Amino acid sequence: MKNFLIGTAAVVCALSFASCNEKARLASEVEGTWSAAPSSLANNTSGDYTVIDTYTFTRDASGGEGGSVMITGMLNGVMASTHPVLSLDQPISTSVSGTATITGTWKAVDDDEIAVMLDPTSLKVTVNPVEMVLTSNILTDATANKPEEMSASVADKAKMEFERVLRPYYTRINHLDDVKVKDGTILKYEIGDRDYSMMRQGQAGK
C-alpha cells in the first residue's frame, strides 16, 4: 500500500509539473504586444463605431503563468445627433476618432486557455475635438459663430457614446479559448465560439 501511495503521488506530481510547464510555455508565447483587426462596436441610428485593439500582455517578474494586460483601442465612428447649442435642433453627422484604454490581469489556466480579468473602472476614453469633422444639411450663422462650443459639446457626446458601446464590448473579454501562437507572429483564439486572430507587434516579450 505504501509503495502504491508513493507511486500515485509521484504520478500526480509529474502531471502537475507538466501542466505547469505547459501553462508557463503558453504565457511565454503570448507575452508581448498584439494588434487585432477592426471590430464593429455598433451600427444603428445612434451611429457607426469601430475599434482596432492592441493588446499588451506583460508577465510577472517571476516569469510565471500571467501578469498584467493593457488594451489600447483606436476609435473611429460617425455619430448622428442634434446640437443643443443651436437655437434649432439641427441634425448633425460627425466623424469622430479617439483612443480607449483598459487594464487588468491575465493568466494561462491550461495549455490553450487564458483567463482575462479586466477592470471596468479603468476604462478611459479620449476624443480629440480638433480631429472631428461636422457636417449638416443646413449651415447657419449660429453654426459658424460657435465652433468651439459645438466641438466641445459634440466631443463630450462622442465620448459618452464610445463609453456606452465599449463597456459591454470589453466585458465579454474574460476567457480566451483554443489559444495558439503560429510561427511566433499570429495569435489565434476563440471567445464564445467565435474565432479571432492578432498579429505580433515588435519582438516577442516586448
Side-chain angles (χ1 to χ4, degrees), residues 15 22 30 50 98 116:
L15 291 174
E22 286 300 302
V30 169
T50 61
V116 179

Side-chain angles (χ1 to χ4, degrees), residues 83-87 140-152:
H83 195 271
V85 171
L86 302 179
S87 57
T140 68
D141 291 337
T143 304
N145 289 338
K146 300 180 180 180
E148 292 83 6
E149 290 182 71
M150 175 175 282
S151 295

Side-chain angles (χ1 to χ4, degrees), residues 21-199:
N21 278 351
E22 286 300 302
K23 289 185 285 188
R25 175 196 57 77
L26 178 62
S28 69
E29 292 180 348
V30 169
E31 184 181 18
T33 300
W34 304 84
S35 181
S39 294
S40 176
L41 297 171
N43 187 354
N44 50 46
T45 56
S46 68
D48 182 6
Y49 309 105
T50 61
V51 62
I52 301 176
D53 285 321
T54 298
Y55 289 60
T56 299
F57 294 97
T58 304
R59 280 205 291 174
D60 294 333
S62 60
E65 299 166 2
S68 61
V69 60
M70 172 181 282
I71 303 177
T72 302
M74 293 176 54
L75 305 170
N76 284 284
V78 177
M79 182 178 66
S81 65
T82 57
H83 195 271
V85 171
L86 302 179
S87 57
L88 298 175
D89 281 342
Q90 180 174 315
I92 294 172
S93 174
T94 309
S95 297
V96 294
S97 61
T99 58
T101 59
I102 189 167
T103 58
T105 59
W106 67 285
K107 184 176 182 180
V109 294
D110 203 344
D111 62 353
D112 66 348
E113 297 180 34
I114 292 176
V116 179
M117 292 72 70
L118 296 176
D119 178 6
T121 65
S122 70
L123 177 63
K124 292 182 174 58
V125 175
T126 302
V127 175
N128 188 351
V130 177
E131 296 178 354
M132 294 192 311
V133 178
L134 286 71
T135 59
S136 175
N137 293 331
I138 303 172
L139 297 178
T140 68
D141 291 337
T143 304
N145 289 338
K146 300 180 180 180
E148 292 83 6
E149 290 182 71
M150 175 175 282
S151 295
S153 175
V154 177
D156 288 343
K157 172 69 172 176
K159 181 176 181 292
M160 289 189 292
E161 282 296 301
F162 276 129
E163 289 173 342
R164 180 182 65 81
V165 295
L166 283 169
R167 287 192 185 98
Y169 170 78
Y170 285 130
T171 297
R172 85 191 206 292
I173 303 173
N174 52 42
H175 190 88
L176 311 185
D177 200 4
D178 198 20
V179 181
K180 294 181 177 62
V181 177
K182 301 289 188 180
D183 302 322
T185 60
I186 301 175
L187 175 61
K188 292 181 173 291
Y189 59 98
E190 293 180 4
I191 297 178
D193 294 327
R194 182 175 176 181
D195 294 330
Y196 295 88
S197 64
M198 295 191 286
M199 298 291 296

